[in-house]
Amino acid sequence: MDKAPEAAPLWSALRRGRRDEAVQVLLSMPAAQRQRLRPAVRAHERFVTSHPDSARAPDGEWSGPLRSGHWSAAKAALLACSPLPQAVKYWPLDMPDAVDLPRAFFPEDLDAFVEEWSARFLRNPKAWDRIRGLDAMFDWAHQGLVPAPTQPGAVLCLATGIPGAHSGTHLLRYLEERPCLIEVTFARIFDVDGIKGASLAQRDETTPWRSRRLDNYVIPQLIRRGHWSRQMVLDGIDRALSRGQTPYLRRWFHGLAQIIGP
């Protein structure tokens, strides 16, 4: 660990697993000082995250049994001590760290996280270890910190990748709690082509509740509740089909058109 006296409050917070205390200490440091701490902080983060819950520190690296607070504090320190290009690529960030930490340390650069996270989802939507917490960008949009995302990866993440997305009731509630997503991000589902592991048809095929699918429930409910018009959905289906779709997705869009009606 760094022995500089000015770093002592940070290491104290890390040892005790006090994430919010660590954040405040880090925010009080000049950026140059934080970046000088990065090698030591990185070593600590790697060590802490390599141990299971309730583990005891071999040489006092943390106090008491290891718990989520120690992991969160270590991740906060590493993110704060990283330049933006490295910070946006860090993973995984679980909730609430995914919302809180970039917002605390990079409040003017959240759009860079949205870009990288959207691209990350698009690269491999089934890499659950890497894509945990990416839905934080939707909370930032709801809070007015970033525009509602329109990147293909963000659209597919919202439709298929948020926790609980396979429950139509959960997804509808999630959207209604964040109206900007209904108006912007989710409305792009007709203009973003699905990929293997993240498509509207695949999401519906794998949901265990047929009556809670996107086509049978979520989209009709958005119309019924006045968020979307029937004509908007039919126009979106026409756009999607006019681009050409795989037979799999083409059947899904035709089926949705039948459910929505003329």
Side-chain angles (χ1 to χ4, degrees):
M1 287 189 177
D2 188 279
K3 300 301 183 183
E6 61 269 24
L10 173 61
W11 294 117
S12 174
L14 295 180
R15 278 192 295 269
R16 292 181 293 149
R18 302 285 180 84
R19 187 202 75 162
D20 291 349
E21 183 179 326
V23 168
Q24 291 306 310
V25 171
L26 289 157
L27 288 174
S28 72
M29 292 180 177
Q33 180 185 358
R34 295 204 307 256
Q35 291 189 19
R36 285 196 299 271
L37 289 172
R38 191 177 191 280
V41 164
R42 178 58 168 153
H44 175 76
E45 183 269 348
R46 283 181 171 173
F47 189 71
V48 168
T49 56
S50 70
H51 285 75
D53 184 48
S54 299
R56 296 281 178 171
D59 296 300
E61 292 85 356
W62 62 85
S63 58
L66 188 65
R67 52 187 175 82
S68 61
H70 294 100
W71 294 321
S72 291
K75 292 180 179 190
L78 182 56
L79 212 66
C81 295
S82 299
L84 180 64
Q86 289 179 309
V88 297
K89 294 182 178 179
Y90 180 77
W91 60 270
L93 279 175
D94 294 304
M95 294 293 193
D97 293 340
V99 170
D100 296 343
L101 299 182
R103 186 175 58 189
F105 299 122
F106 300 94
E108 305 301 321
D109 297 301
L110 293 178
D111 56 334
F113 284 86
V114 173
E115 287 291 340
E116 167 59 29
W117 290 0
S118 300
R120 186 187 305 173
F121 186 86
L122 206 60
R123 285 194 295 269
N124 191 345
K126 292 301 183 183
W128 300 117
D129 55 341
R130 291 176 180 265
I131 64 174
R132 296 204 313 262
L134 300 192
D135 47 309
M137 59 182 157
F138 303 131
D139 288 332
W140 297 336
H142 176 60
Q143 295 161 6
L145 302 175
V146 296
T150 57
Q151 295 88 341
V155 174
L156 294 176
C157 180
L158 178 59
T160 70
I162 64 167
H166 285 277
S167 164
T169 51
H170 174 84
L171 179 57
L172 182 63
R173 183 170 61 253
Y174 185 91
L175 292 170
E176 290 193 313
E177 290 171 351
R178 301 162 180 80
C180 67
L181 301 180
I182 298 176
E183 298 170 7
V184 180
T185 310
F186 200 67
R188 292 269 298 154
I189 61 174
F190 304 105
D191 301 295
V192 171
D193 291 327
I195 59 174
K196 185 177 181 180
S199 75
L200 308 178
Q202 185 174 346
R203 182 267 179 207
D204 274 0
E205 185 178 74
T206 56
T207 188
W209 307 281
R210 182 175 177 82
S211 63
R212 292 296 181 263
R213 291 166 35 144
L214 292 173
D215 56 4
N216 278 317
Y217 179 75
V218 177
I219 294 174
Q221 283 295 322
L222 289 175
I223 295 172
R224 190 168 297 119
R225 300 183 186 197
H227 300 298
W228 287 356
S229 70
R230 176 177 280 102
Q231 191 58 51
M232 172 197 157
V233 174
L234 292 174
D235 289 346
I237 293 170
D238 286 343
R239 290 197 308 275
L241 291 173
S242 69
R243 290 196 310 277
Q245 300 289 337
T246 64
Y248 187 48
L249 275 166
R250 188 166 62 246
R251 286 193 298 272
W252 187 88
F253 280 114
H254 279 304
L256 176 61
Q258 291 177 349
I259 292 169
I260 298 304

Short mmCIF file of all heavy atoms in Angstrom, two decimals, residues 194-217:
data_model
loop_
_atom_site.label_atom_id
_atom_site.label_comp_id
_atom_site.label_asym_id
_atom_site.label_seq_id
_atom_site.Cartn_x
_atom_site.Cartn_y
_atom_site.Cartn_z
N GLY A 194 -31.78 -6.91 -34.72
CA GLY A 194 -31.33 -7.81 -33.67
C GLY A 194 -30.07 -8.55 -34.08
O GLY A 194 -29.73 -8.65 -35.26
N ILE A 195 -29.37 -9.06 -33.10
CA ILE A 195 -28.17 -9.85 -33.33
C ILE A 195 -28.33 -11.17 -32.58
O ILE A 195 -29.22 -11.32 -31.75
CB ILE A 195 -26.91 -9.12 -32.84
CG1 ILE A 195 -27.01 -8.81 -31.35
CG2 ILE A 195 -26.67 -7.85 -33.64
CD1 ILE A 195 -25.75 -8.21 -30.75
N LYS A 196 -27.44 -12.09 -32.85
CA LYS A 196 -27.48 -13.36 -32.15
C LYS A 196 -27.29 -13.13 -30.67
O LYS A 196 -26.32 -12.49 -30.24
CB LYS A 196 -26.38 -14.30 -32.67
CG LYS A 196 -26.44 -15.69 -32.06
CD LYS A 196 -25.38 -16.60 -32.66
CE LYS A 196 -25.46 -17.99 -32.05
NZ LYS A 196 -24.42 -18.90 -32.61
N GLY A 197 -28.23 -13.61 -29.87
CA GLY A 197 -28.16 -13.42 -28.43
C GLY A 197 -28.93 -12.23 -27.94
O GLY A 197 -29.11 -12.06 -26.73
N ALA A 198 -29.40 -11.38 -28.86
CA ALA A 198 -30.15 -10.19 -28.44
C ALA A 198 -31.03 -9.71 -29.58
O ALA A 198 -30.66 -8.84 -30.36
CB ALA A 198 -29.20 -9.07 -28.01
N SER A 199 -32.20 -10.31 -29.69
CA SER A 199 -33.17 -9.86 -30.68
C SER A 199 -34.56 -9.93 -30.07
O SER A 199 -34.79 -10.64 -29.08
CB SER A 199 -33.12 -10.72 -31.95
OG SER A 199 -33.73 -11.98 -31.74
N LEU A 200 -35.49 -9.18 -30.64
CA LEU A 200 -36.85 -9.16 -30.12
C LEU A 200 -37.47 -10.56 -30.19
O LEU A 200 -38.13 -11.01 -29.25
CB LEU A 200 -37.69 -8.17 -30.93
CG LEU A 200 -37.11 -6.76 -31.05
CD1 LEU A 200 -38.03 -5.88 -31.92
CD2 LEU A 200 -36.90 -6.12 -29.69
N ALA A 201 -37.24 -11.24 -31.31
CA ALA A 201 -37.82 -12.58 -31.48
C ALA A 201 -37.22 -13.56 -30.49
O ALA A 201 -37.94 -14.38 -29.89
CB ALA A 201 -37.60 -13.06 -32.91
N GLN A 202 -35.92 -13.53 -30.31
CA GLN A 202 -35.28 -14.46 -29.38
C GLN A 202 -35.73 -14.19 -27.95
O GLN A 202 -35.96 -15.11 -27.18
CB GLN A 202 -33.77 -14.34 -29.49
CG GLN A 202 -33.02 -15.36 -28.64
CD GLN A 202 -31.53 -15.34 -28.88
OE1 GLN A 202 -31.06 -14.75 -29.85
NE2 GLN A 202 -30.77 -15.97 -28.01
N ARG A 203 -35.86 -12.91 -27.60
CA ARG A 203 -36.33 -12.56 -26.26
C ARG A 203 -37.70 -13.16 -26.02
O ARG A 203 -37.97 -13.75 -24.98
CB ARG A 203 -36.35 -11.04 -26.10
CG ARG A 203 -36.79 -10.54 -24.72
CD ARG A 203 -38.28 -10.28 -24.70
NE ARG A 203 -38.72 -9.83 -23.38
CZ ARG A 203 -39.94 -10.00 -22.91
NH1 ARG A 203 -40.85 -10.64 -23.63
NH2 ARG A 203 -40.27 -9.56 -21.73
N ASP A 204 -38.60 -13.02 -27.00
CA ASP A 204 -39.96 -13.54 -26.82
C ASP A 204 -39.99 -15.06 -26.82
O ASP A 204 -40.77 -15.67 -26.10
CB ASP A 204 -40.88 -12.97 -27.90
CG ASP A 204 -41.46 -11.62 -27.51
OD1 ASP A 204 -41.14 -11.13 -26.42
OD2 ASP A 204 -42.22 -11.05 -28.32
N GLU A 205 -39.16 -15.67 -27.63
CA GLU A 205 -39.16 -17.12 -27.71
C GLU A 205 -38.71 -17.76 -26.40
O GLU A 205 -39.17 -18.83 -26.02
CB GLU A 205 -38.25 -17.59 -28.84
CG GLU A 205 -38.28 -19.09 -29.06
CD GLU A 205 -37.39 -19.51 -30.21
OE1 GLU A 205 -36.16 -19.49 -30.03
OE2 GLU A 205 -37.92 -19.83 -31.29
N THR A 206 -37.80 -17.07 -25.70
CA THR A 206 -37.24 -17.66 -24.48
C THR A 206 -37.98 -17.24 -23.22
O THR A 206 -37.65 -17.74 -22.14
CB THR A 206 -35.75 -17.28 -24.34
OG1 THR A 206 -35.62 -15.85 -24.37
CG2 THR A 206 -34.94 -17.87 -25.48
N THR A 207 -38.94 -16.32 -23.31
CA THR A 207 -39.66 -15.94 -22.10
C THR A 207 -40.62 -17.05 -21.71
O THR A 207 -41.29 -17.64 -22.56
CB THR A 207 -40.43 -14.61 -22.28
OG1 THR A 207 -40.95 -14.20 -21.02
CG2 THR A 207 -41.58 -14.76 -23.26
N PRO A 208 -40.68 -17.40 -20.44
CA PRO A 208 -41.54 -18.51 -20.02
C PRO A 208 -43.02 -18.13 -19.97
O PRO A 208 -43.85 -19.01 -19.83
CB PRO A 208 -41.02 -18.86 -18.62
CG PRO A 208 -40.38 -17.61 -18.14
CD PRO A 208 -39.83 -16.91 -19.34
N TRP A 209 -43.34 -16.85 -20.10
CA TRP A 209 -44.73 -16.43 -19.99
C TRP A 209 -45.18 -15.85 -21.34
O TRP A 209 -44.93 -14.68 -21.63
CB TRP A 209 -44.90 -15.38 -18.90
CG TRP A 209 -44.33 -15.82 -17.59
CD1 TRP A 209 -44.90 -16.66 -16.68
CD2 TRP A 209 -43.06 -15.46 -17.04
NE1 TRP A 209 -44.07 -16.85 -15.60
CE2 TRP A 209 -42.94 -16.12 -15.79
CE3 TRP A 209 -42.01 -14.64 -17.48
CZ2 TRP A 209 -41.81 -15.99 -14.99
CZ3 TRP A 209 -40.90 -14.52 -16.69
CH2 TRP A 209 -40.81 -15.17 -15.46
N ARG A 210 -45.82 -16.66 -22.15
CA ARG A 210 -46.20 -16.22 -23.49
C ARG A 210 -47.06 -14.96 -23.44
O ARG A 210 -46.93 -14.08 -24.30
CB ARG A 210 -46.97 -17.34 -24.21
CG ARG A 210 -47.35 -16.97 -25.63
CD ARG A 210 -47.99 -18.12 -26.38
NE ARG A 210 -48.39 -17.69 -27.70
CZ ARG A 210 -47.57 -17.63 -28.74
NH1 ARG A 210 -46.31 -17.97 -28.60
NH2 ARG A 210 -48.00 -17.21 -29.93
N SER A 211 -47.91 -14.86 -22.43
CA SER A 211 -48.79 -13.70 -22.34
C SER A 211 -48.06 -12.45 -21.88
O SER A 211 -48.67 -11.38 -21.76
CB SER A 211 -49.94 -14.00 -21.38
OG SER A 211 -49.44 -14.23 -20.07
N ARG A 212 -46.78 -12.56 -21.58
CA ARG A 212 -46.00 -11.41 -21.14
C ARG A 212 -44.85 -11.10 -22.08
O ARG A 212 -43.86 -10.49 -21.71
CB ARG A 212 -45.47 -11.65 -19.71
CG ARG A 212 -46.57 -11.69 -18.66
CD ARG A 212 -47.26 -10.33 -18.55
NE ARG A 212 -48.30 -10.31 -17.53
CZ ARG A 212 -49.58 -10.48 -17.76
NH1 ARG A 212 -50.00 -10.70 -19.01
NH2 ARG A 212 -50.46 -10.42 -16.78
N ARG A 213 -45.01 -11.49 -23.34
CA ARG A 213 -43.98 -11.22 -24.33
C ARG A 213 -44.04 -9.77 -24.81
O ARG A 213 -45.00 -9.05 -24.52
CB ARG A 213 -44.17 -12.16 -25.53
CG ARG A 213 -43.88 -13.61 -25.20
CD ARG A 213 -44.37 -14.59 -26.24
NE ARG A 213 -44.32 -14.15 -27.61
CZ ARG A 213 -44.04 -14.93 -28.64
NH1 ARG A 213 -43.73 -16.20 -28.42
NH2 ARG A 213 -44.05 -14.47 -29.87
N LEU A 214 -43.03 -9.36 -25.55
CA LEU A 214 -43.06 -8.03 -26.16
C LEU A 214 -44.23 -7.89 -27.11
O LEU A 214 -44.93 -6.86 -27.11
CB LEU A 214 -41.75 -7.77 -26.92
CG LEU A 214 -40.46 -7.64 -26.11
CD1 LEU A 214 -39.26 -7.57 -27.04
CD2 LEU A 214 -40.51 -6.40 -25.23
N ASP A 215 -44.43 -8.90 -27.95
CA ASP A 215 -45.48 -8.77 -28.97
C ASP A 215 -46.88 -8.91 -28.38
O ASP A 215 -47.81 -8.19 -28.77
CB ASP A 215 -45.26 -9.77 -30.11
CG ASP A 215 -45.17 -11.23 -29.66
OD1 ASP A 215 -45.35 -11.51 -28.45
OD2 ASP A 215 -44.90 -12.10 -30.51
N ASN A 216 -47.05 -9.81 -27.41
CA ASN A 216 -48.38 -10.04 -26.85
C ASN A 216 -48.76 -9.10 -25.73
O ASN A 216 -49.95 -8.94 -25.42
CB ASN A 216 -48.49 -11.48 -26.32
CG ASN A 216 -48.79 -12.47 -27.41
OD1 ASN A 216 -49.63 -12.20 -28.26
ND2 ASN A 216 -48.10 -13.59 -27.42
N TYR A 217 -47.74 -8.50 -25.08
CA TYR A 217 -48.06 -7.73 -23.88
C TYR A 217 -47.44 -6.33 -23.86
O TYR A 217 -48.16 -5.33 -23.79
CB TYR A 217 -47.60 -8.50 -22.63
CG TYR A 217 -47.88 -7.76 -21.34
CD1 TYR A 217 -49.17 -7.68 -20.83
CD2 TYR A 217 -46.85 -7.13 -20.64
CE1 TYR A 217 -49.43 -6.98 -19.66
CE2 TYR A 217 -47.10 -6.44 -19.47
CZ TYR A 217 -48.39 -6.36 -18.98
OH TYR A 217 -48.65 -5.68 -17.83
#
